[in-house]
Amino acid sequence: MDTESETRTAAWREQMDAASRRFADSAAERDEVTRKRRVAESDVVDTEEQILARADRLLVTGEVPAQAVIELGRQDPLDSIGSLERVIGFANDLQAVNFLTRGTRAAAAVARISLTDHGRRVPIGTGSLVSPQLLLTNNHVLPNVDVAASVLIEFAAEAGIDNVPTQTVRFDLAPGDFFVTSKHLDYTLVRVKPGVDGTAAGDTFGWNPLIAKPGKIVIGEAMNVVGHPLGRLKEISIRDNRLDLQLDDFLHYTSDTEPGNSGSPVFNDQWEIVALHHAGVPKKDDKGRVLRKDGKAWQGGDGDDAIDWVANEGVRVSVLLADLGSRVFDPAQRALLDQLGPAAGLSAETVVVDTTAVAPQPESAAETIVRGANGRPTAFGGKRSVVFLHGRRQEGRDPADLRRVWTAGLNKGLTLADLSPIDPADVYFPFYGDQLVASLSAREAAVETGSELYESLVAEAAQRFGMPSAEEAPADPIAQERFGFGSVVLGRVRDQLGWIAARSGLDSLLIGAIFKDVAAYLDDEKVRKGVLDTVLADMPTSGELVLVSHSLGTVVAMDLLTQLPREVTVRLLVTAGSPLGLDGVYGKLLSGGPHRPDRVGDWLNTWYAGDPIAIGCPLRQAWGQRLRDLPVENPKERAHDIAEYLAHPAVAATIGHTLTD
């Protein structure tokens, strides 16, 4: 343990020395920041590019109320960097009351990292969940697989509302499954082993997604650091912290942090991670000696808390993600990395097929299209069949694997509802993913951004998400253009998608692709027929169905109900994350409108208010009272995830009771 401790200390001091060199080398840049602040009479200063990106992000995410921006524009047209700095300053100075509750949620994903030695716990740093299963910390905290395999991760190591320490929850790491590290950028990303009940740590404590896009912070804005300084119970440093300088790979900021904060997430005021804290910058004399707070030369035995720290340094999130993106992973590791979500810019889900170009059709396309997975006819007493109907862009996936993912989500909900789980092999999983892509590729002209139906769907969704109308726009045309107000940009799909994305947490490309495929299915009868024929080929031909559908699959389900044999009845229809509440969708169905199919018994529609595809929900407004709308809360970064919908006990219980009654 002594050798390990010495090695860790040496690694930390190496990072501290590197941070000190960068701090010394950037003296001229800091002087320029001081000059800009004096001229602008504001703490908020940065490059024009950073100011523009930050102002845009604050506005479209609703952190600066639209009316406030309108008023600022009337006082000083928003056509200068100075006025945009005022917008940022407005957001920096005033916080909504939910600032504290959002901070509590973000802090829940932060954990203490400790080594164990003969039953003794030795805290060595901080880590935080950035996906359901991946923990982010420093390289000098977890430099290799062996060290990672020997540590203990403690969540909820904090004082409760009554100032009494809460019961901690401990997890081990699984570096053999996923372990990526960089000494230069001083980060390590490692898998957290699920608990004894198989639950991922993130399912209990949440996680804070990493965001690749710019505009998360500028010089002069407040920063918030959550961690375990010197191994103590969780602490937070807020409000008195300011970003001082942005370097290519690192951020320098003023903050009250201590050595145990190594690996702490550094948040902006919107509780988005902007940096990974890794080192302090100590004050030094002209001989290069580290100084204590009393001005004397620091000695190793004085303790790190005696050092006079002049700044702190963190690794920029965008740089960290770029490094991850440059690496090669095997399929299992890639699946874990994909859980970082579309905001990280690394997930395969963010790669949107360009349907404006017609791909060449394989010579034997019919042979390459994968068929669905059939369930066991004897399942559920032979009385009923369960059918899962998936959404868009599942091409190239294994239907059996997808069926397991859906069933795992449902079984989690059934367990929470104290009901028996089901076997994936008992479920029918019609698969039209390959057929959909083949049909789109075969079209003479794919649905493009300019498609009337596509544009109307996006515009309706943006309007329902509160995008300002032309009447609410500021008079200043530059402000209109920059911030997406009114008639100048109201009809632009890009701005509308950006508005939806900012308020839902999903990537705008992903949202646009989903709406584009919905429009393609509804607009082109050949596409529709190809999908329906493929689904019908793998459907039960008689008996009662429990039909569970998601996203585009809910649209397909409604058309499917007009095509099923008379011998089939639907005991329960479940629609999740559905666009069926949009006028442009239900008006194009085979039924000709929002007409509840007669063959359906019970109908449960589940939706999350932050899911942009379900923005037309609740469905009863359009479809009438003979259905049950069940709003649920999904993690924002997985707002549209089917496994999240099915894992809710109330959703799962409805399915489970239907199968057993």
Side-chain angles (χ1 to χ4, degrees), residues 34 82 94 141 143 145-146 161 185-186 212 258 276 292 297 305 317 348 362 377 390 409 459 481 505 609 617 621 647:
T34 301
L94 296 178
V141 173
V145 169
D146 290 339
I161 194 169
L185 295 177
D186 197 18
E258 296 183 67
L276 171 67
R292 302 189 317 192
D305 55 340
V317 164
H390 67 81
E481 178 69 28
C617 294
Q621 298 172 351

Side-chain angles (χ1 to χ4, degrees), residues 22-88:
R22 285 187 285 267
F23 187 81
D25 292 344
S26 59
E29 288 91 335
R30 289 197 306 280
D31 289 343
E32 176 62 14
V33 168
T34 301
R35 186 194 67 79
K36 287 183 177 179
R37 283 174 168 167
R38 185 171 58 251
V39 172
E41 297 182 348
S42 170
D43 285 336
V44 177
V45 295
D46 214 315
T47 65
E48 180 174 353
E49 179 183 12
Q50 292 283 357
I51 293 291
L52 287 171
R54 183 64 176 144
D56 282 346
R57 184 169 182 82
L58 284 170
L59 186 83
V60 299
T61 54
E63 298 297 338
V64 180
Q67 190 58 42
V69 177
I70 292 171
E71 291 301 320
L72 286 172
R74 288 169 178 165
Q75 298 170 25
D76 181 10
L78 301 178
D79 57 357
S80 69
I81 296 302
S83 56
L84 295 182
E85 288 168 350
R86 292 179 60 204
V87 171
I88 298 171

Side-chain angles (χ1 to χ4, degrees), residues 88-95 239 242 269:
I88 298 171
F90 184 92
N92 198 38
D93 292 338
L94 296 178
Q95 294 301 321
R239 310 316 302 151
R242 300 283 166 172
D269 272 347

Side-chain angles (χ1 to χ4, degrees), residues 61-364:
T61 54
E63 298 297 338
V64 180
Q67 190 58 42
V69 177
I70 292 171
E71 291 301 320
L72 286 172
R74 288 169 178 165
Q75 298 170 25
D76 181 10
L78 301 178
D79 57 357
S80 69
I81 296 302
S83 56
L84 295 182
E85 288 168 350
R86 292 179 60 204
V87 171
I88 298 171
F90 184 92
N92 198 38
D93 292 338
L94 296 178
Q95 294 301 321
V97 70
N98 67 2
F99 172 82
L100 299 177
T101 54
R102 292 162 74 183
T104 300
R105 181 177 61 185
V110 178
R112 181 166 60 191
I113 302 176
S114 301
L115 283 169
T116 54
D117 179 29
H118 302 292
R120 185 169 64 96
R121 181 178 53 78
V122 182
I124 60 173
T126 300
S128 66
L129 289 169
V130 292
S131 85
Q133 301 184 72
L134 295 179
L135 183 94
L136 180 65
T137 187
N138 292 141
N139 166 272
H140 76 261
V141 173
L142 299 179
N144 54 56
V145 169
D146 290 339
V147 173
S150 66
V151 302
L152 187 69
I153 309 301
E154 294 179 287
F155 290 93
E158 57 195 61
I161 194 169
D162 54 1
N163 214 31
V164 175
T166 59
Q167 180 66 45
T168 61
V169 181
R170 299 177 177 180
F171 288 82
D172 295 322
L173 295 180
D177 297 338
F178 192 99
F179 184 89
V180 176
T181 193
S182 167
K183 185 175 181 180
H184 168 63
L185 295 177
D186 197 18
Y187 82 86
T188 291
L189 190 65
V190 58
R191 187 188 184 212
V192 179
K193 186 181 297 184
V196 293
D197 61 352
T199 301
D203 290 338
T204 302
F205 298 99
W207 65 91
N208 298 298
L210 300 177
I211 302 171
K213 288 184 177 180
K216 295 183 288 294
I217 198 165
V218 296
I219 292 171
E221 279 198 275
M223 308 174 80
N224 309 297
V225 186
V226 181
H228 292 274
L230 298 176
R232 295 193 297 266
L233 295 179
K234 190 181 299 176
E235 297 178 4
I236 181 170
S237 175
I238 62 174
R239 310 316 302 151
D240 263 346
N241 317 316
R242 300 283 166 172
L243 177 61
D244 295 326
L245 195 64
Q246 300 201 53
L247 304 179
D248 289 342
D249 294 343
F250 301 91
L251 300 180
H252 283 171
Y253 44 93
T254 304
S255 176
D256 294 327
T257 57
E258 296 183 67
N261 275 106
S262 291
S264 295
V266 183
F267 298 96
N268 61 16
D269 272 347
Q270 290 70 54
W271 296 101
E272 299 167 327
I273 300 180
V274 298
L276 171 67
H277 178 74
H278 84 122
V281 178
K283 187 175 183 179
K284 294 185 177 182
D285 61 18
D286 54 7
K287 296 180 181 179
R289 296 178 301 182
V290 175
L291 297 179
R292 302 189 317 192
K293 294 175 182 177
D294 61 7
K296 297 180 181 180
W298 176 81
Q299 303 295 326
D302 293 336
D304 300 326
D305 55 340
I307 296 175
D308 186 4
W309 303 102
V310 296
N312 283 285
E313 185 178 80
V315 185
R316 297 179 67 159
V317 164
S318 56
V319 175
L320 185 157
L321 289 170
D323 184 73
L324 277 173
S326 69
R327 298 171 183 254
V328 177
F329 299 93
D330 64 34
Q333 293 171 329
R334 169 55 64 180
L336 286 169
L337 192 66
D338 284 351
Q339 292 184 8
L340 292 177
L346 303 174
S347 172
E349 292 183 359
T350 64
V351 180
V352 180
V353 176
D354 182 5
T355 56
T356 62
V358 180
Q361 182 76 1
E363 292 182 6
S364 55

